[in-house]
Structure formats: C-alpha cells, structure tokens
Amino acid sequence: MQKITPIPLISDSKVSELIEQRRGFSLNTCELNIYETRKAVDNFPLSFNGFTITSMLRGTKKVRFKDLISREYVPGNTIIAPAKKELKIDFVESSFKNPTQCTALTLDNTLVKTQLNEFNELLNKGSFSKNLDVLDSAVFLYNNEELVSIQQKITAIAASNDPFKEIHVKILLKELVLCVLKMKHLNILNADAAENTNNTPFAAIINFIRQNIYNTISIEDLLQVSCMSKSTFYRAFVDQLGVSPYQLIINERLKIAKNLLLEERLSIKETAYASGFSSPNYFIRLFKKHEGITPKQFVNSKLNTFL
C-alpha cells in the first residue's frame, strides 16, 4: 500500500470552511480538487459530477457506499467514485489542528469509456469488458506504486505554469485509467481466489500463493500453475495484475504480518518468520517501504486508536 505525498495545508488565516474546504485546478480533460476538513462530523454526503479518483493524504475517515458497510479510509487508499453516486463520510478525528486531506481527480465518463474501448481494441481480447461497471459502482482500492506516481505527476503539472500541461495531463490520464482498470481487475481475481475459484490462470496463481505463503515460492511453481512459458507469464502477469509476481507475494505476506502483529500480538521477529520473510531486518525494511512506518510504529498507532 503506497502513500501519496501530502500537499501543504491551507494556512490557518485562510480557512473559511471547516468541512471539506476546496481548492483546485480545472483543465480541459479533468478537474483536480484538494479537500480539507477541520471538524468532526458524521454522515456527511459527498458526490461528484463525473467519474472521480479520490485518494487520502492525511488523517482518517470512514466511508460508506450503497452497501452501507463502513470502511476505514486512510493514506494509502483510493476510492473510485462514479458520477452522481453519493458517498457518506464520517470525519471521526478531524479537528482544526488535525485536519484530514484528500485529492479528488474528476474525469468525464465519456473520456473513461473512450479509453476503455481503445484498450480493448488494442488488446483484441475484451480484457476489461467486465470492468465496465467501474463507471457504475464505487470501488475501494489500495494504492500501488504506479497509481501514486501518476497521481503525483498530475498534481504537480496541474499546479504548474507549464504551457503544455493540458497535453501532458491528457497523456497521464490515459495511463491513470489503465492503472485503475488493472487494479480493479486484481480485486476481482482476489475475490475469485478467496472463494477458491480458479476460473482464470491468475485467480489460480493468487490462490496458490495464498495457500503456500509460508513456504518458499519460486517462479517455476507459478509457471506450472499458470501453464505458461516464462516470457509469456511475466508479460501477462504485469498486464493483468499491474504488479510483478515478486510484489504480489510481498503484498500477501505483509497482509498476514499486519494481522499477526495486531491479532496474535507476536513480536516483530516472530512475525517476520511466521509470515514467510527470510529475516526480521528484511521484513522491517519492506514494511517501512510499503506502509511508510515501521512495524513497531504501526502497532503503536493501531493500539492508540483502540484505546
């Protein structure tokens, strides 16, 4: 789970709204807004005029879609919000000195549909046809490196005086749509694997990784499950899942590690070996790279939340 770098807050003297104060940039192809909230409030309604990719930068919210399930929304998370679909937000911990901050990048639905059709035509497979509902239902995602990189570039360019920024942002939006589609596709495969549904090679791969996560997993093992050649496997894996095989294994081990730290209260050393890492130092280094904090800081932050 990768975090987007926070943007400097509005100075105290310029704060005019305590709930979702907005500042932003309008371009021909999109609108980028930064929202800050400095007051605790429940059940705040929020909707956007177009297909929107919103990412948390600071603080914590709780968000509910139409299924009414309350989801913790923290830095490292992104929500895909369809046009005109209302979300309900609880700003549980927001205050003047501890504001929440998020970005909202709104695109026209026509632009997204055009890119979707273009990608399918190039792939000549209809790979993303089942992702058409990305335009109709909210989706909760964990940021990956590609998404964070693209979003940060768009934010920097939108705020600049670059005379070519419209062209540059339009190119980046194409990359962003493709990245989001691949992330949603991975969510679908994760759900298939959770139900032990091996109806695609990649669902079977995810299932195999989860069943053998405590053991050494080699590329040869994954090749055997996928029934692909090595060259085809690597290309198809990244195209379909948006991450490398190595990164997917690390992501799954980190999920287990967080559960062991919080639920089982294992030590960092015990957690490292129990979740399949070769050493505690290697585990700590990877954890900090992905979460932005050390395992110890992660545990302390969660325990303080529960107190």
Side-chain angles (χ1 to χ4, degrees):
M1 186 166 68
Q2 302 290 319
K3 297 180 181 179
I4 301 173
T5 304
I7 296 166
L9 293 165
I10 297 171
S11 62
D12 290 355
S13 62
K14 294 184 178 179
V15 173
S16 58
E17 299 285 342
L18 294 180
I19 302 172
E20 294 294 71
Q21 176 155 348
R22 180 179 69 88
R23 54 184 160 134
F25 312 93
S26 292
L27 302 174
N28 292 332
T29 49
C30 65
E31 180 177 282
L32 174 65
N33 290 299
I34 299 102
Y35 292 94
E36 295 175 11
T37 292
R38 292 170 167 79
K39 179 181 178 181
V41 63
D42 291 339
N43 223 31
F44 182 80
L46 183 66
S47 63
F48 302 96
N49 290 327
F51 175 86
T52 298
I53 301 167
T54 172
S55 298
M56 280 297 288
L57 305 183
R58 301 174 189 262
T60 301
K61 303 177 185 177
K62 290 191 179 295
V63 180
R64 289 180 297 282
F65 306 154
K66 64 180 181 180
D67 59 14
L68 302 181
I69 296 173
S70 185
R71 297 167 172 85
E72 188 175 68
Y73 191 27
V74 299
N77 295 153
T78 283
I79 290 175
I80 310 302
K84 309 296 185 182
K85 296 295 178 70
E86 189 174 85
L87 308 177
K88 296 290 188 180
I89 313 241
D90 296 337
F91 298 93
V92 182
E93 303 172 0
S94 300
S95 67
F96 201 91
K97 295 301 181 183
N98 184 36
T100 62
Q101 184 187 61
C102 72
T103 61
L105 182 66
T106 300
L107 292 67
D108 184 81
N109 278 5
T110 302
L111 183 149
V112 180
K113 288 178 180 177
T114 299
Q115 291 306 142
L116 182 64
N117 292 334
E118 180 182 328
F119 295 145
N120 276 328
E121 185 176 339
L122 289 171
L123 291 168
N124 198 29
K125 300 176 186 176
S127 296
F128 295 118
S129 59
K130 60 184 172 184
N131 285 314
L132 280 168
D133 67 338
V134 75
L135 300 175
D136 304 316
S137 58
V139 182
F140 186 94
L141 301 170
Y142 294 101
N143 297 350
N144 63 19
E145 291 184 20
E146 183 182 8
L147 179 75
V148 169
S149 175
I150 297 170
Q151 289 217 62
Q152 291 187 157
K153 286 178 185 177
I154 290 174
T155 301
I157 293 167
S160 74
N161 294 319
D162 183 352
F164 299 102
K165 66 181 178 181
E166 292 280 1
I167 298 171
H168 199 170
V169 167
K170 187 173 182 179
I171 293 170
L172 288 170
L173 290 178
K174 180 181 291 191
E175 294 182 32
L176 186 64
V177 172
L178 179 58
C179 177
V180 168
L181 290 171
K182 289 194 291 185
M183 290 168 69
K184 186 171 187 295
H185 189 49
L186 178 55
N187 268 17
I188 292 170
L189 293 174
N190 275 326
D192 285 348
E195 296 174 4
N196 291 320
T197 304
N198 295 337
N199 53 1
T200 72
F202 296 99
I205 289 169
I206 293 172
N207 202 22
F208 176 84
I209 289 172
R210 288 179 175 172
Q211 290 175 350
N212 296 275
I213 199 66
Y214 304 104
N215 305 318
T216 300
I217 300 173
S218 68
I219 293 300
E220 285 67 29
D221 293 330
L222 302 184
L223 291 174
Q224 187 173 0
V225 173
S226 68
C227 300
M228 297 180 188
S229 68
K230 182 176 287 189
S231 59
T232 300
F233 171 78
Y234 273 106
R235 183 175 63 254
F237 197 100
V238 175
D239 284 347
Q240 289 288 313
L241 304 185
V243 294
S244 68
Y246 167 79
Q247 188 60 60
L248 183 61
I249 293 170
I250 293 299
N251 290 347
E252 291 298 322
R253 285 186 169 147
L254 287 175
K255 288 179 188 176
I256 291 171
K258 285 190 281 189
N259 182 66
L260 292 174
L261 288 168
L262 295 178
E263 301 297 331
E264 304 297 329
R265 300 293 180 90
L266 296 187
S267 69
I268 291 172
K269 181 178 180 180
E270 290 170 331
T271 298
Y273 291 123
S275 50
F277 291 96
S278 58
S279 74
N281 287 338
Y282 179 55
F283 165 60
I284 293 169
R285 188 166 67 249
L286 281 177
F287 194 100
K288 186 171 183 180
K289 177 183 177 182
H290 286 78
E291 300 297 324
I293 55 177
T294 65
K296 185 176 181 179
Q297 290 170 327
F298 169 77
V299 172
N300 289 339
S301 67
K302 294 297 182 182
L303 290 179
N304 290 336
T305 299
F306 298 146
L307 293 178

